[in-house]
Amino acid sequence: MTKCNKHLTILLGLLVLPFFLFTGCLKEGDETIVLPFPNGKIPYDVIPEQVQDSLTDLGFVIHEGVYPPTIEGKYVASPMDLQHASDEYYNPNFRYLYMSFAGQQRRGKINYSQIQYDTIFLNEQQLNDAIGDAMRAHVIGEGEDFTMYCIQTISPDSTWWCTTASVVSGTLTKTGIKDCQYAQYIIDRGGDVSRLPEVGTFRFWNDGDNFASKIFSNLTD
């Protein structure tokens, strides 16, 4: 090989190397997931633009950005104060929302679990037994302000199912989430839908005292 060809080969290698450095993937189980670079917004295929606009117009805060805080921990928001329901839903008995965030990664991936349960769990094991499996979610935001979003399918029995987008928003503090808000958007449903909101409707709540407290072992984190 001539000296010129050697230099050309080295140059091509240097040009190709950054492509492999900045094109990556994460393995999850036996599947390889190629992750797009986050843009710090809730994707419109999760919650449509017009619904996001309606939420923010009504007072729900979506914190955008690609550098969210680390929100890992277990929190309880109570009492839940319904701010708006596009399906005219009303339930004065919904008081406690338990939320668990774990395994936060770069690009904002996180494991999220929740349960709406009108009781007080006395210990962490009781909560873990009730809260169920975690789902993959994403966190966006800047500084201490964050918004988490995920898609979940609820099917408590064989008679009905419902797919929703859930959103938690607020400002992280050492002891909890200040100005905590929670929203649900109905993506799809099936089975006996008589008890379910219509597709395309949404609801959102504020924490009644504006603060979702950290609970159990995380109090000393």
Side-chain angles (χ1 to χ4, degrees), residues 72-104:
E72 294 185 9
K74 292 182 173 69
Y75 306 83
V76 58
S78 175
M80 298 300 290
D81 185 9
L82 181 66
Q83 300 298 297
H84 182 83
S86 64
D87 63 335
E88 299 183 352
Y89 164 88
Y90 178 68
N91 179 9
N93 297 318
F94 174 28
R95 292 183 56 82
Y96 295 92
L97 173 67
Y98 292 88
M99 303 169 288
S100 174
F101 304 96
Q104 187 167 342

Side-chain angles (χ1 to χ4, degrees), residues 167-189:
V167 186
V168 178
S169 196
T171 300
L172 187 71
T173 74
K174 290 183 178 180
T175 56
I177 302 170
K178 180 182 176 183
D179 299 326
C180 184
Q181 297 179 295
Y182 174 73
Q184 279 193 329
Y185 166 70
I186 307 301
I187 298 173
D188 200 3
R189 63 182 187 170

Side-chain angles (χ1 to χ4, degrees), residues 10 26-27 42 46 61 65 82 102 128 138 150 159 163 206 211-212:
I10 293 172
L26 296 179
K27 287 192 69 65
I42 299 177
V46 175
V61 180
L82 181 66
N128 290 340
H138 285 81
C150 67
T159 61
T163 299
N206 288 350
F211 194 82

Side-chain angles (χ1 to χ4, degrees), residues 145-157:
D145 299 326
F146 75 92
T147 295
M148 181 233 67
Y149 62 89
C150 67
I151 294 177
Q152 57 182 324
T153 297
I154 304 165
S155 182
D157 54 49

Side-chain angles (χ1 to χ4, degrees), residues 132-147:
D133 296 332
M135 66 201 78
R136 299 313 297 267
H138 285 81
V139 187
I140 57 177
E142 296 283 347
E144 300 305 317
D145 299 326
F146 75 92
T147 295

